[in-house]
Amino acid sequence: QVQLVESGGGSVQAGGSLRLSCAASGRSRAMGWWRQVPGKEREFVAAISRHNDNTRYAESVKGRFDISRDNANNTVYLLMNSLKVEDTAVYYCARSRFSDYAANQEHQYNYWGQGTQVTVSS
């Protein structure tokens, strides 16, 4: 059974940093981070291939966020730097249907964590 558990969320002032972690069970696949605010659709943030050789970022976070993974520990990370108020959202870890494609469409993911809240204040 696949289980994804996010951690590392919290409150931070604008310009600060947070590092999210996702502990995964089950077989390794490409992984992604998504975020959602109330009343809005879930938004793609970043993705990484299974072998850590390909990444993809939303334009809004490019240059500020970094996705990485530690396959030995079956964990994926999202380092968020230079946080902005508009980054406030519930962040979700997700497992892709693909192994090595850093997907950015929601239907390309089939398992989701429960989410962790990130709140950025001005």
Side-chain angles (χ1 to χ4, degrees):
Q1 175 148 342
V2 175
Q3 184 174 347
L4 307 174
V5 181
E6 303 97 334
S7 62
S11 297
V12 64
Q13 291 185 326
S17 299
L18 283 174
R19 188 197 195 203
L20 306 183
S21 298
C22 174
S25 64
R27 295 179 178 177
S28 180
R29 295 289 186 271
M31 301 290 293
W33 285 97
W34 295 68
R35 65 189 183 187
Q36 187 172 30
V37 298
K40 302 295 183 181
E41 294 185 354
R42 195 146 48 188
E43 175 190 17
F44 172 76
V45 176
I48 187 167
S49 63
R50 181 179 62 180
H51 299 297
N52 197 25
D53 57 0
N54 185 255
T55 58
R56 188 193 302 269
Y57 296 91
E59 187 66 29
S60 61
V61 307
K62 194 175 299 180
R64 298 190 297 120
F65 291 10
D66 181 62
I67 187 170
S68 62
R69 66 190 301 161
D70 181 354
N71 287 336
N73 294 320
N74 208 11
T75 303
V76 63
Y77 305 96
L78 184 69
L79 176 61
M80 305 182 293
N81 296 312
S82 302
L83 282 162
K84 304 175 180 179
V85 172
E86 51 263 45
D87 293 319
T88 296
V90 176
Y91 282 72
Y92 297 90
C93 175
R95 178 180 180 266
S96 175
R97 298 178 184 273
F98 301 95
S99 293
D100 298 311
Y101 177 65
N104 65 347
Q105 294 182 286
E106 193 164 356
H107 68 85
Q108 295 172 319
Y109 292 82
N110 56 1
Y111 292 98
W112 300 82
Q114 293 299 305
T116 185
Q117 177 70 46
V118 172
T119 302
V120 184
S121 60
S122 178

